[in-house]
Amino acid sequence: MRLGSLSKLFTGVAFKRLTPHEVDPEVSNGHEFQGVAKLRDLLGNDTAEFKATYFLLSDEEPTVIISAWAKWYDSRENDPTRSAEWRLYYPAAAGEIQSRMRPGALMVVAMSVANSLMVALAPAGSTRELQLRALFGIGEVTDGPIGVQRYDDASAITSLGVEMLEELVLPVPAPDSAGDGERVLAMVEELSKQYPDALPTGKVIAELVQARFPDVDPTGDPDGTLIRWIEAEASLFRLWEDGLIERRLVRGFALKDSRQDVQGFRDFAMKTRQSRVSRAGGALQLHAATIMRSHKLIFEEQAITEKSERPDFLFPAGAAYHDERFPKHNLRLLAAKFTAKERWRQVLKEAARIEHKHLLTMDAAISQPQLVAMREAKLQPVVPKGYHQVYVKDSQRHLSTFGEFIAEVRKIQS
């Protein structure tokens, strides 16, 4: 789903792989990004100092946000006998770049419409790198010269970039008021009036979304159908949640004695966050189940296996799983997790009889190390086909589509 245009936030972006001269203190102590002459397309041909925010991203550690500045200058300005050599200098305040980043890390420099810089850095092959590339529409990045992209109204912000927008403390725009976006905005208006303080069950919301998106083909295009339903519901809930927060802030958090209810604020924030996470996972299960039923698949939800484990979907059913006469090679398990980092290892213990398990996820940023770990654990990631394009080619071959999983189960059950 299109969520407005990148041109509303940025005029353009540049990207490159970091070299040892830029981040390895044993090679150079200079705080400079080099080989960035093409940045003149964004930063101009004159020495300038910009307000800059640095984001040091990692899969394992919390994001480091540093508010500082950056200087754009020609290091040979005072030597008329030599050609220009442009560099982007980052101050000592951003020195953690050297301790946190390694050669090969992806650097993205974005010029905002307010004429300030956002410099985001992520380890090579990490989930964060994939998310950055999804947000800014950057293809595969190899070692070599810096790449530059300009944005116009056609440069869409898609649902794949939403998590990274929030990570970068940037506003998530409302969907375009046309097509799927128009339907989402209409549902948000309705639900905000009917349910201003708490939405109905996930089942009710899922059925509403499915009813408002009848122009899908669950049997002919299960992957595309899942993406449209999930993206619509995620956008719907985020916009409704924004309204909930606004209404709650208007009421305030004052106690009767005029003191501010700090704990009340914390409880509200925690409840809101937990609701978002819970609804995302629940929506994936509900929509996936509807699509699989359209294919006449036989399965049981939350069937009990060993040690009272309850897989999201067991094929064909719990009774067959516990029947030792039923061939185990005809059993399948499908877990549904909105993001792969959402406790994917717990899936491995949910059904001992099933050696090769499947994980359905809307995660468009599973890192290469994670994919390797999943393969070694005999867990097959199932990612909707439309999201495969974000992955590098070497990673794409380790993914299955939702349609391929459905076809596999249909073949077994036919």
Side-chain angles (χ1 to χ4, degrees):
M1 180 181 296
R2 178 185 163 101
L3 299 171
S5 171
L6 283 166
S7 63
K8 302 297 183 184
L9 299 174
F10 305 103
T11 60
V13 66
F15 46 90
K16 71 185 292 284
R17 296 285 179 192
L18 295 180
T19 67
H21 283 279
E22 294 166 311
V23 290
D24 188 345
E26 294 186 3
V27 176
S28 173
N29 285 316
H31 292 177
E32 295 176 327
F33 298 123
Q34 303 173 354
V36 293
K38 286 189 67 176
L39 265 177
R40 286 181 294 175
D41 295 345
L42 291 179
L43 307 186
N45 294 305
D46 299 313
T47 296
E49 189 171 296
F50 298 92
K51 180 181 178 181
T53 304
Y54 299 85
F55 295 85
L56 310 187
L57 306 167
S58 169
D59 290 353
E60 291 78 28
E61 302 176 25
T63 298
V64 174
I65 303 176
I66 303 168
S67 297
W69 50 270
K71 183 177 181 179
W72 175 239
Y73 76 105
D74 174 11
S75 63
R76 296 175 177 174
E77 183 177 13
N78 297 321
D79 189 346
T81 66
R82 305 179 70 187
S83 59
E85 185 175 279
W86 289 90
R87 298 183 179 182
L88 186 64
Y89 178 86
Y90 59 90
E96 279 193 73
I97 290 174
Q98 290 186 322
S99 62
R100 293 278 295 256
M101 292 297 142
R102 297 291 180 268
L106 176 68
M107 177 183 74
V108 174
V109 180
M111 171 63 82
S112 76
V113 294
N115 208 42
S116 62
L117 294 183
M118 187 209 75
V119 183
L121 303 106
S126 65
T127 293
R128 294 307 192 199
E129 177 189 322
L130 294 177
Q131 290 173 329
L132 278 176
R133 288 172 43 207
L135 171 60
F136 291 106
I138 299 171
E140 292 191 40
V141 183
T142 59
D143 295 336
I146 194 167
V148 176
Q149 293 179 180
R150 283 281 189 175
Y151 295 130
D152 55 27
D153 289 342
S155 305
I157 299 174
T158 66
S159 298
L160 295 177
V162 167
E163 185 174 346
M164 186 49 63
L165 279 176
E166 295 180 336
E167 187 78 26
L168 300 176
V169 201
L170 294 171
V172 178
D176 286 353
S177 55
D180 288 0
E182 183 178 14
R183 299 175 186 179
V184 168
L185 293 171
M187 287 189 289
V188 171
E189 184 176 1
E190 292 175 24
L191 292 171
S192 296
K193 292 178 180 177
Q194 296 177 34
Y195 307 98
D197 298 315
L199 285 174
T201 65
K203 186 174 184 294
V204 171
I205 299 299
E207 290 175 348
L208 173 64
V209 170
Q210 292 170 15
R212 296 296 175 86
F213 285 77
D215 55 334
V216 294
D217 187 2
T219 55
D221 183 16
D223 291 85
T225 299
L226 185 62
I227 287 175
R228 286 185 68 190
W229 283 349
I230 287 292
E231 289 189 352
E233 182 161 343
S235 185
L236 182 160
F237 184 71
R238 185 172 58 254
L239 292 171
W240 178 88
E241 182 187 80
D242 287 346
L244 172 70
I245 294 172
E246 182 179 359
R247 292 187 290 273
R248 188 66 185 86
L249 290 175
V250 169
R251 294 204 302 269
F253 291 89
L255 297 170
K256 291 182 179 180
D257 59 3
S258 297
R259 290 184 298 114
Q260 294 301 312
D261 186 4
V262 176
Q263 187 58 47
F265 173 81
R266 288 175 177 163
D267 292 344
F268 172 76
M270 180 63 71
K271 182 180 179 181
T272 302
R273 177 176 176 77
Q274 290 175 339
S275 178
R276 176 188 294 195
V277 173
S278 175
R279 281 188 175 272
L284 180 58
Q285 293 179 38
L286 289 164
H287 292 306
T290 297
I291 293 171
M292 291 190 295
R293 289 190 185 100
S294 75
H295 286 265
K296 311 299 182 184
L297 299 189
I298 303 170
F299 60 87
E300 183 176 349
E301 300 179 62
Q302 304 295 314
I304 299 176
T305 59
E306 300 88 356
K307 299 180 180 179
S308 298
E309 295 288 347
R310 291 179 176 271
D312 294 324
F313 300 104
L314 195 61
F315 304 80
Y321 179 82
H322 291 290
D323 185 351
E324 293 295 333
R325 295 168 299 179
F326 190 89
K328 65 179 183 181
H329 61 266
N330 285 344
L331 296 169
R332 290 294 184 274
L333 177 150
L334 179 68
K337 305 291 183 186
F338 197 83
T339 60
K341 63 183 179 183
E342 186 184 319
R343 305 181 305 279
W344 69 265
R345 291 186 183 277
Q346 78 178 35
V347 177
L348 305 177
K349 62 180 181 179
E350 288 184 345
R353 286 194 70 196
I354 302 175
E355 185 178 10
H356 293 272
K357 301 176 177 66
H358 291 76
L359 171 64
L360 174 64
T361 178
M362 301 301 293
D363 201 331
I366 307 176
S367 67
Q368 184 68 15
Q370 265 192 318
L371 287 173
V372 171
M374 289 179 183
R375 186 169 66 250
E376 292 175 347
K378 299 180 180 179
L379 179 67
Q380 175 62 51
V382 178
V383 178
K385 185 177 181 180
Y387 285 9
H388 285 212
Q389 61 188 344
V390 179
Y391 289 87
V392 298
K393 291 181 180 178
D394 187 53
S395 295
Q396 290 179 17
R397 62 189 178 89
H398 299 302
L399 306 175
S400 290
T401 68
F402 190 32
E404 288 170 342
F405 172 79
I406 290 173
E408 179 181 330
V409 176
R410 285 184 64 182
K411 183 178 180 181
I412 292 171
Q413 295 185 350
S414 62

